[in-house]
Amino acid sequence: KAIGRIVTSYEDIQRLAGYTKLVSNIKKVLQDLETGSYQREMVMSKEDMDEKKLEPNTGEHISTDDHIKFDKVSVITPNGDILVNEIEF
């Protein structure tokens, strides 16, 4: 019984450590957002992004009336996989 309790306790501690790390990351992101210095960590390297001609947070946003239009918008995963290339609607 004692070994079973130790194993269960160890699993609980590991789970708690995971939650603690998530909370710590969220706290850091919120602090960075508050100071205006948040920089998203990209999974792709700068070289891969240049090769695929990807530039995050670029483009033009125009607010008009009550509709949304996408003009040549690509949907790309953080790993750089292109899900949809230059969708328009």
Side-chain angles (χ1 to χ4, degrees):
K1 286 185 177 182
I3 293 184
R5 287 183 188 165
I6 290 172
V7 169
T8 304
S9 297
Y10 178 76
E11 291 171 355
D12 290 341
I13 290 171
Q14 289 295 333
R15 196 173 313 122
L16 179 61
Y19 290 133
T20 304
K21 182 164 177 62
L22 285 174
V23 170
S24 173
N25 288 344
I26 290 172
K27 187 175 177 183
K28 182 181 181 318
V29 168
L30 291 174
Q31 288 172 345
D32 289 348
L33 285 171
E34 188 175 316
T35 61
S37 63
Y38 176 70
Q39 201 60 16
R40 179 177 167 86
E41 294 179 23
M42 299 299 287
V43 176
M44 292 180 63
S45 69
K46 178 76 172 130
E47 293 79 25
D48 290 339
M49 290 177 61
D50 290 343
E51 179 182 316
K52 293 185 178 186
K53 297 179 181 148
L54 302 176
E55 295 182 45
N57 303 322
T58 59
E60 187 176 357
H61 174 262
I62 302 171
S63 297
T64 60
D65 299 330
D66 60 349
H67 65 277
I68 298 173
K69 178 181 178 185
F70 290 93
D71 185 26
K72 297 182 180 176
V73 175
S74 297
V75 179
I76 305 169
T77 67
N79 282 326
D81 301 323
I82 298 174
L83 302 177
V84 179
N85 193 22
E86 294 188 353
I87 190 172
E88 296 183 29
F89 66 90

